[in-house]
Amino acid sequence: MQLAGQPQAPNIIIRGSGSSLAAASVQERLESQYEAFSEDSFVCVGDIVPTDMQEGFLRGHGTQVVDGQLMATVCGRVERINKLVSVRPLRNRYSAELGDVVVGRVTDVAGKRWIVDLNARQEATLQLSSVNLPGGVQRRRTAEDELNMRSVFEEGDLISAEVQALHQDGSVSLHTRSLKYGKLAGGQLVTVPANLIKRQKHHFNTLPDMGVDVILGCNGMVWVAPNAPPPALGADGEPEQAPPRPPATREQRAAVCRMAGALRALAALYFPIFQATLVDAYQARKPGLVDAA
Amino acid sequence: MAFQNTVASTPYNTIKLPDTLSVKGARFEGRGYEHFRNIFMQPGMLSQAAGSAYVEFGNTKIMAGVYGPRESDRREAFSNTGRLQCDVKLATLATRQRGRFGQSDQEREMSAALVSALSGAVRRETFPKASVDVYAVVLEADGGELAVAATAAALALADAGIELSDLVSACNVSRVDGQLLLDPSAGEARRQDGSAMMAMMPATNLVTHLELTGTWSAAQATEVLQLCMGGCLQLDLAMRASLRQTAPG
């Protein structure tokens, strides 16, 4: 940086071929559609947060009171909701909320539970009793199930799950008791800042036009994979356990890479990630940058 | 009060300047007694770390990375405050004489001092049970490594979004032939008969770490502390500007 002089635009470098051009075209397209946040609302650590001479303000996250003045404890944007003044950091660790859809990596198989890394302050646990057993049978978990835990999830597996409970000490329990959750394979993981992914109605997005499925994990881990075939219905009309995916075709892989590139471009530009922004970023590609053929 | 500005970082210096103090009110690099060397700072250099910063004071170059808050690798008794762990590493290529492999006493001492300089600012109660790890690597050593490391680490912590009560900035002052020199290079510090290193939080006006060596009269001690505080204040402004510039959007 320069200590004085003209402010410089930060250099944005996205890994992957031809991607800085892609980022530029994404920025061009999105900035016309979505409002970028104003620079005035940015504060640094130790800056006084203006409270507009309001008599009573409520101290929110990312602030402290020093000599009756509100001071920021993180670098970020000032947010005001009525009297509550808080500073939302630009980059922070994921903090779980009940019901969040997350994508995480299994780091350990411990007694009756898996330890899952969510890029959060602490590792999350997934109890053996909160997964669906293969075959979908409903019964008490036995010692044998405990021995066969690695046949469900192994160390290094990527899974999607939901936050089941938050505990007093800040630790998190997950569950995968639905067919939409479980092991992820045959796609690409993209990690973005967690605060770019807001809680929304649908975290599982199926985009048939592009032929990709996108799981927006609230913890900033996003899974991109080719469209899954629709689940076959069993004899009782209930959907069966998903069959193994067929190997992806070249076109599918190109679409997945392009979607992953769109995600990285959005993250580099610090745009919030929704289905709409993602589709826009995907379509902002300049012809000739990526060739699927 | 002139602050020397640099457009780019300083290239690796292959020829060292002679170890003499210049005369007539100016120091070797052409700066005044109360001027810093060229300063360059850039937060957000490492993609893998939660937060990072690269800081140069002249030829002293340090890269700091912050990881966490994450699960503590050491199992400990439950505590409601998080753990701050610092590790300063002097790269073997940092000094004129090639460094030895393994942690030296100097590195251990600097790591402990860095913990003390930062722990006054880091709000450890905001990450119970977890630990924040700060790694600072000295890429080139030319005096004031601890001060630069503390400045870089504070920038990296702010970049990581870890709650701080204030930014920490740190600087050195040497006394050579009775003259106080702000931000001495290694050549100047070799001739010192007294030195001060101060880390402080300028916005809240609190000192987090102070090292004073040599014999000081009461008057000169006040003078040296004031010079340190003025230096820290200047650095603080530069740190804020760098954080503002790298903010996305």
Side-chain angles (χ1 to χ4, degrees), chain B:
Chain B
M1 227 9 221
F3 207 150
Q4 298 200 0
N5 300 343
T6 35
V7 175
S9 75
T10 318
Y12 179 73
N13 193 11
T14 45
I15 304 161
K16 292 282 181 208
L17 295 159
D19 292 345
T20 47
L21 192 64
S22 162
V23 285
K24 303 265 189 283
R27 286 148 83 182
F28 236 107
E29 299 93 335
R31 57 184 170 137
Y33 294 136
E34 301 186 356
H35 287 176
F36 276 98
R37 290 172 279 183
N38 285 338
I39 287 177
F40 178 84
M41 36 181 93
Q42 174 87 61
M45 296 284 276
L46 307 173
S47 58
Q48 288 294 305
S52 59
Y54 172 69
V55 176
E56 282 180 5
F57 284 22
N59 284 321
T60 301
K61 298 169 184 178
I62 292 187
M63 178 75 90
V66 168
Y67 297 82
R70 61 184 178 187
E71 194 102 342
S72 191
D73 53 351
R74 244 192 292 168
R75 291 274 159 224
E76 303 187 335
F78 178 81
S79 90
N80 259 325
T81 58
R83 203 158 65 94
L84 178 71
Q85 185 182 284
C86 296
D87 191 11
V88 181
K89 176 93 190 107
L90 202 65
T92 51
L93 49 87
T95 44
R96 298 293 283 168
Q97 180 110 45
R98 189 182 157 80
R100 293 279 193 97
F101 180 78
Q103 195 183 35
S104 67
D105 286 349
Q106 188 200 359
E107 285 170 343
R108 203 166 298 136
E109 205 172 290
M110 274 166 62
S111 306
L114 190 57
V115 172
S116 123
L118 296 176
S119 56
V122 177
R123 302 184 63 194
R124 294 192 301 154
E125 69 277 11
T126 58
F127 48 95
K129 284 178 76 186
S131 93
V132 167
D133 302 331
V134 179
Y135 298 98
V137 180
V138 182
L139 300 171
E140 199 179 342
D142 189 25
E145 288 82 27
L146 181 55
V148 186
T151 307
L155 267 184
L157 284 167
D159 184 47
I162 288 162
E163 291 211 18
L164 304 170
S165 48
D166 192 7
L167 280 176
V168 175
S169 52
C171 66
N172 281 67
V173 170
S174 276
R175 185 179 58 195
V176 180
D177 303 336
Q179 177 65 49
L180 297 183
L181 304 177
L182 182 64
D183 186 28
S185 62
E188 288 168 335
R190 208 170 298 144
R191 296 161 49 91
Q192 74 192 12
D193 58 1
S195 72
M197 195 308 263
M198 182 192 275
M200 73 173 296
M201 305 191 284
T204 42
N205 214 18
L206 294 169
V207 173
T208 56
H209 188 77
L210 179 66
E211 286 175 16
L212 208 58
T213 62
T215 321
W216 296 87
S217 68
Q220 211 174 19
T222 316
E223 199 187 332
V224 73
L225 293 184
Q226 274 171 353
L227 185 54
C228 282
M229 286 165 79
C232 287
L233 197 63
Q234 287 184 56
L235 285 176
D236 185 62
L237 295 174
M239 288 164 76
R240 277 166 207 285
S242 74
L243 284 169
R244 216 168 274 274
Q245 268 186 22
T246 46

Side-chain angles (χ1 to χ4, degrees), chain A residues 118-136:
Chain A
L118 296 179
N119 273 349
R121 284 181 192 159
Q122 292 178 46
E123 279 161 344
T125 57
L126 173 62
Q127 294 288 344
L128 175 57
S129 57
S130 33
V131 300
N132 274 348
L133 289 177

Side-chain angles (χ1 to χ4, degrees), chain A residues 5 36 43 64 101 133 168 177 184 194 198 229 286:
Chain A
V43 288
Q64 61 182 345
V101 174
L133 289 177
Q168 199 65 54
R177 299 205 68 127
L184 301 172
K198 312 288 182 212
K286 290 264 165 71

Side-chain angles (χ1 to χ4, degrees), chain A residues 229-252:
Chain A
L233 295 185
D236 52 355
E238 289 288 304
E240 281 179 347
Q241 198 83 13
R245 278 164 187 265
T249 62
R250 194 185 176 87
E251 287 71 32
Q252 283 177 321

